[in-house]
Amino acid sequence: MTSSSSIPDSLVDAETQSSSHATLVLLGLFFAAGVVYLVSLPIRALWKAVPQRKPKLPKREASSSDITTSSQPSQKAAEPQKPGVSMKQLMKKTNQNPTKAQSAVTDKATHHPAYLNTLKGHTDNVGGLAFSADGSALATACEDRVIRLFKLTDITAKNMGFMKHNMITTPVDVAFGSAPNLLAVTARGIVQEANLSMVHLGSNKASEQHILWQVPNSHDGRPAVLLQSAHRSQTSGVLLSCSAKNELRLFSFAGKQLASVDAAGLHNHMAAISLDGRFFAAATFTSDVKVSPAHHLQMRLALPAAAAAASSERQGFLHMRVYMMGVYVLVMQILLQAVHAWLS
């Protein structure tokens, strides 16, 4: 009787131990998966920030099977290959002999009473345009990494000359500085960060072109949407730089950051500054246009504050990650202890 009653008890103990071991194994796997996920978050963020390069595939060499040979000699002698026609020659030929549709469109544009001239010389899309304060010059920012300055002394000239400056990065927008030959340029970097600079154009000679100042990463890693300028006097003014996020920044013509303003609209679509530099406005993602005064912001000189705010934001984000990881580990420890006590 004793042996028959002890057998079911041992079976119950064995089942209880096996279930407790399985529960502990599942909790351990869940804990390990959570730790791996938390550790992978900063690695994924860094991986997305680094531009990926496509691997270069090795060139395939022609094999003997790819070359088709014929045992019989060719009856017709091979004719010499004629040289091809370049795209530039085709465009020139098209311009010299346009079709009737092209001629109609050209005649309609050139005979419009509001038509004055066409500025040529760009080889890609033009993303930025700006007139000088006195209307004597027009600056353009092109995706071919060239900024151009057209002198509008004779607006009806057939071949209007221009000065150009080759940029290292792609210019997004351009604005005039304190002189008609000083151009402020916001460009798009390798990882889409904004770079602000002031370029002096004396002529098309490289020796007479130089960068007066440069503000790298002018929006803390964010891309720029546009750049506008406002002239307070003949020698002083303000540059308004708008990022793709919710931030606007004011710079002096000397390259000093005056203020950093949060438009609080998730994303900025457009921005503008008044001609006298008193007010600026931002059109945000929330379909709101927010107007702010600029005079009191220029008295702050908020460059150290902006840098400190950006660093404190990054530190706060890192501290929050560490805090959440610690809370997760603590909760898992308490849960494991409770399960172990309940099983024992």
Side-chain angles (χ1 to χ4, degrees):
M1 296 294 291
T2 304
S3 61
S4 62
S5 61
S6 62
I7 292 174
D9 294 337
S10 62
L11 292 175
V12 170
D13 293 339
E15 291 179 356
T16 304
Q17 291 180 359
S18 62
S19 63
S20 64
H21 286 308
T23 305
L24 290 176
V25 168
L26 290 176
L27 290 175
L29 292 174
F30 178 72
F31 175 73
V35 171
V36 170
Y37 176 74
L38 290 175
V39 172
S40 65
L41 288 178
I43 298 176
R44 290 171 60 188
L46 292 175
W47 180 261
K48 290 181 179 180
V50 176
Q52 303 296 323
R53 296 183 178 179
K54 296 182 179 180
K56 294 183 179 180
L57 299 176
K59 295 183 179 180
R60 181 174 177 268
E61 297 181 356
S63 59
S64 58
S65 60
D66 297 335
I67 303 174
T68 58
T69 57
S70 177
S71 58
Q72 297 180 358
S74 178
Q75 297 178 358
K76 185 178 180 181
E79 297 180 356
Q81 186 177 2
K82 297 182 180 180
V85 182
S86 64
M87 183 61 67
K88 188 175 181 180
Q89 293 176 353
L90 289 175
M91 293 176 65
K92 187 176 180 180
K93 185 177 180 181
T94 304
N95 293 332
Q96 292 176 354
N97 301 315
T99 61
K100 292 183 179 180
Q102 291 175 346
S103 300
V105 173
T106 305
D107 294 339
K108 185 178 179 180
T110 54
H111 289 85
H112 194 277
Y115 174 81
L116 289 177
N117 205 339
T118 301
L119 304 181
K120 298 182 179 180
H122 306 89
T123 59
D124 209 329
N125 296 328
V126 177
L129 291 171
F131 277 101
S132 61
D134 57 358
S136 63
L138 175 65
T140 63
C142 187
E143 291 187 359
D144 57 3
R145 295 188 178 183
V146 178
I147 58 173
R148 295 169 175 84
L149 180 62
F150 294 86
K151 296 292 184 179
L152 305 181
T153 53
D154 185 7
I155 192 62
T156 59
K158 185 176 182 181
N159 295 321
M160 188 174 295
F162 59 86
M163 293 184 293
K164 66 178 182 179
H165 177 75
N166 297 321
M167 302 287 295
I168 300 177
T169 54
T170 304
V172 176
D173 204 355
V174 65
F176 278 90
S178 58
N181 59 349
L182 294 178
L183 298 180
V185 185
T186 179
R188 181 173 61 248
I190 299 177
V191 290
Q192 304 296 319
E193 80 280 5
N195 299 316
L196 182 63
S197 59
M198 181 70 75
V199 181
H200 175 268
L201 291 177
S203 66
N204 280 327
K205 296 181 180 179
S207 59
E208 298 183 6
Q209 299 179 2
H210 56 277
I211 298 177
L212 298 180
W213 51 263
Q214 190 172 11
V215 182
N217 200 6
S218 56
H219 281 286
D220 297 332
R222 303 178 182 92
V225 176
L226 58 84
L227 180 68
Q228 288 191 0
S229 62
H231 298 262
R232 289 184 171 272
S233 65
Q234 294 182 355
T235 58
S236 65
V238 183
L239 294 172
L240 174 66
S241 180
C242 176
S243 71
K245 295 297 182 180
N246 54 352
E247 184 189 33
L248 300 170
R249 289 192 176 183
L250 295 174
F251 296 88
S252 67
F253 281 173
K256 190 173 186 179
Q257 182 176 329
L258 302 177
S260 178
V261 184
D262 188 357
L266 297 180
H267 293 280
N268 294 329
H269 288 178
M270 185 61 64
I273 189 168
S274 59
L275 295 178
D276 56 0
R278 294 176 55 197
F279 304 98
F280 64 92
T284 63
F285 175 77
T286 56
S287 301
D288 296 329
V289 177
K290 300 185 178 181
V291 183
S292 303
H295 63 278
H296 70 279
L297 294 174
Q298 296 177 21
M299 302 300 293
R300 296 183 183 180
L301 302 179
L303 180 58
S311 62
S312 62
E313 182 181 358
R314 289 192 293 268
Q315 291 179 0
F317 181 74
L318 181 60
H319 292 166
M320 181 61 69
R321 284 280 183 88
V322 175
Y323 175 75
M324 292 300 295
M325 187 179 294
V327 170
Y328 180 80
V329 172
L330 181 61
V331 170
M332 291 303 300
Q333 288 181 353
I334 294 174
L335 184 61
L336 288 174
Q337 290 177 1
V339 171
H340 183 70
W342 179 71
L343 292 176
S344 62

